[in-house]
Amino acid sequence: MSDRRRFMKLSVLGSAAFLAGKHVMASPQQEHKPVSVKGHPIVISTWDFGKAANEAAWEVLGKGGRALDAVERGVKVPEADPTNQSVGLGGRPDRDGFVTLDACIMDENYKCGAVAFLEHIVHPISVARLVMEKTPHVMLVGEGALQFALANGFKKENLLTEKSKAEWKEWLKESKYKPEANIENKHHQNVQGSKPGDAKNHDTIGMVALDTNGDMSGACTTSGMAYKIRGRVGDSPIIGAGLYVDNEVGAATSTGVGEEVIRIVGSHLVVELMRQGYKPEEACKKAVERIISRNPENAKIVQVGFLALSKNGTYGAYALQKGFSYAVKNGNESKIIDAPYFYDNEAK
Ligand code: ASP
């Protein structure tokens, strides 16, 4: 709905209420309640590596399975991939050389679970799901999260690969913590000095899905910013920041410098904007603009990308910087799309 039409509709509602002698505000929810599309499942996820994750999610969604099972299955693919240096096994360590993982999951009933600063477990997303399903809590962190995982049969493993270890040792020589705008280079071969498959020093898989039944769920998992201060937690395990699912309206997830996303509670903001009638891409763009307005200097040099799916199956994304891509899979196709963006730092 255009701004003008939205304004007209609100004005009409307002006058009717006034004439009836009661002045009531029209709530955005009354204004916009998307109808769900049953029977047309779809899954979307961040970055080029989302494509393989979507294929795994489709093994569930394509058979009419639940979105929650699909997103868990999907994000386990990059979690288990030792060559993916920003999620799960093989993730880049913190500045002291420890791989620490953050993840969260949310279902169609507003249930959610999260783990943060978790070490030694290849699939933090499954621990997050257990927190959601087996405890009265939403989030477990650090030692407690590890203890909970081990008590529930997860195996303790070394997540630091030789490659990530060697890169960390190299980084130690200068020990400069400087987040760079991440670009998924496999899809952007024109990035100078990059090798296919390289990402910069951070990335996340955020995935949201709509199932045959018309229900939505999401999952988000990462090893966070490379060489972060020990104990640092980003947006990815924070419900509302890295992920939010509202089964009435839609779902959103984020990637990029988590501090910027937390400050505006990004994914929740995107979903609320969709509730007000913004389309997924417009809602993501508004959230990016909010980051710029809150922290204009930093916004020029860091990357943040939002990705959103509405209850009626439409999707979109928007990023601070050029270079954010996302993957889409439905009954007809599986593809990677370059997200629109605000700044083109590659052009400089
Ligand atoms: N959002 C993640 C974090 O801040 C990193 C990323 O997605 O690039 O930990």
Side-chain angles (χ1 to χ4, degrees), residues 9 26 49 63 82 86 135 139 149 158 162 210 219 223 241 265 314 322 325 329:
K9 188 167 179 187
F49 55 70
K63 292 185 191 129
S86 53
T135 81
M139 185 179 233
N158 171 29
E162 284 310 313
L210 176 70
S223 51
V265 199
T314 57
K322 184 174 184 178
S325 60
K329 165 96 186 137

Side-chain angles (χ1 to χ4, degrees), residues 151-229:
N152 281 284
F154 287 82
K155 267 198 2 244
K156 192 168 178 175
E157 292 181 48
N158 171 29
L159 305 181
L160 186 63
T161 55
E162 284 310 313
K163 183 167 193 276
S164 289
K165 192 173 174 179
E167 286 179 10
W168 165 65
K169 290 217 158 131
E170 203 45 44
W171 174 83
L172 278 178
K173 290 180 186 160
E174 287 200 21
S175 307
K176 273 202 199 120
Y177 180 73
K178 182 173 150 286
E180 290 171 59
N182 48 351
I183 289 173
E184 183 64 29
N185 294 325
K186 205 185 284 177
H187 196 54
H188 297 270
Q189 304 276 353
N190 55 342
V191 178
Q192 275 202 345
S194 65
K195 295 188 294 306
D198 276 359
K200 297 253 174 140
N201 57 9
H202 56 96
D203 268 355
T204 291
I205 182 141
M207 174 181 278
V208 289
L210 176 70
D211 63 27
T212 306
N213 203 32
D215 286 326
M216 308 189 83
S217 288
C220 186
T221 172
T222 188
S223 51
M225 306 297 292
Y227 321 132
K228 59 198 173 187
I229 295 176

Side-chain angles (χ1 to χ4, degrees), residues 6 41 54 216 222 225 243 247 271 284 295-296 303 312 319 324:
R6 187 178 304 118
N54 287 354
M216 308 189 83
T222 188
M225 306 297 292
L243 176 73
N247 205 38
V271 171
C284 293
N295 198 351
Q303 176 66 303
N312 58 23
F324 174 45

Side-chain angles (χ1 to χ4, degrees), residues 41-303:
I42 178 167
V43 56
I44 61 176
S45 57
T46 53
W47 302 109
D48 290 15
F49 55 70
K51 194 164 189 247
N54 287 354
E55 298 293 342
W58 196 257
E59 287 165 20
V60 177
L61 283 181
K63 292 185 191 129
R66 188 179 171 199
L68 181 71
D69 296 323
V71 294
E72 182 189 9
R73 172 92 67 100
V75 302
K76 283 172 86 169
V77 171
E79 279 186 343
D81 178 358
T83 67
N84 184 323
Q85 290 181 280
S86 53
V87 181
L89 174 68
R92 293 190 178 87
D94 63 19
R95 68 181 186 181
D96 297 325
F98 301 101
V99 180
T100 70
L101 306 176
D102 299 336
C104 73
I105 194 160
M106 188 160 183
D107 77 3
E108 72 277 16
N109 300 312
Y110 306 91
K111 285 205 225 130
C112 44
V115 288
F117 191 40
L118 173 64
E119 292 177 70
H120 307 300
I121 302 293
V122 175
H123 291 301
I125 199 64
S126 300
V127 186
R129 182 167 176 174
L130 269 191
V131 172
M132 172 174 94
E133 290 179 338
K134 299 261 180 331
T135 81
H137 308 305
V138 166
M139 185 179 233
L140 295 179
V141 305
E143 271 299 311
L146 177 61
Q147 194 179 317
F148 173 77
L150 296 177
N152 281 284
F154 287 82
K155 267 198 2 244
K156 192 168 178 175
E157 292 181 48
N158 171 29
L159 305 181
L160 186 63
T161 55
E162 284 310 313
K163 183 167 193 276
S164 289
K165 192 173 174 179
E167 286 179 10
W168 165 65
K169 290 217 158 131
E170 203 45 44
W171 174 83
L172 278 178
K173 290 180 186 160
E174 287 200 21
S175 307
K176 273 202 199 120
Y177 180 73
K178 182 173 150 286
E180 290 171 59
N182 48 351
I183 289 173
E184 183 64 29
N185 294 325
K186 205 185 284 177
H187 196 54
H188 297 270
Q189 304 276 353
N190 55 342
V191 178
Q192 275 202 345
S194 65
K195 295 188 294 306
D198 276 359
K200 297 253 174 140
N201 57 9
H202 56 96
D203 268 355
T204 291
I205 182 141
M207 174 181 278
V208 289
L210 176 70
D211 63 27
T212 306
N213 203 32
D215 286 326
M216 308 189 83
S217 288
C220 186
T221 172
T222 188
S223 51
M225 306 297 292
Y227 321 132
K228 59 198 173 187
I229 295 176
R230 184 151 173 76
R232 180 265 186 191
V233 170
D235 59 321
S236 308
I238 313 280
I239 295 294
L243 176 73
Y244 198 72
V245 179
D246 185 324
N247 205 38
E248 279 188 355
V249 175
T253 187
S254 64
T255 181
V257 175
E259 284 75 3
E260 297 299 333
V261 178
I262 293 172
R263 279 192 253 275
I264 63 151
V265 199
S267 292
H268 185 258
L269 175 62
V270 171
V271 171
E272 287 306 303
L273 287 164
M274 289 198 287
R275 192 195 303 282
Q276 289 171 26
Y278 290 97
K279 293 190 184 113
E281 183 184 316
E282 292 169 347
C284 293
K285 184 168 186 229
K286 285 248 157 219
V288 163
E289 287 168 354
R290 182 77 60 89
I291 289 178
I292 298 168
S293 72
R294 294 294 183 265
N295 198 351
E297 282 316 304
N298 209 34
K300 284 183 197 148
I301 50 171
V302 299
Q303 176 66 303

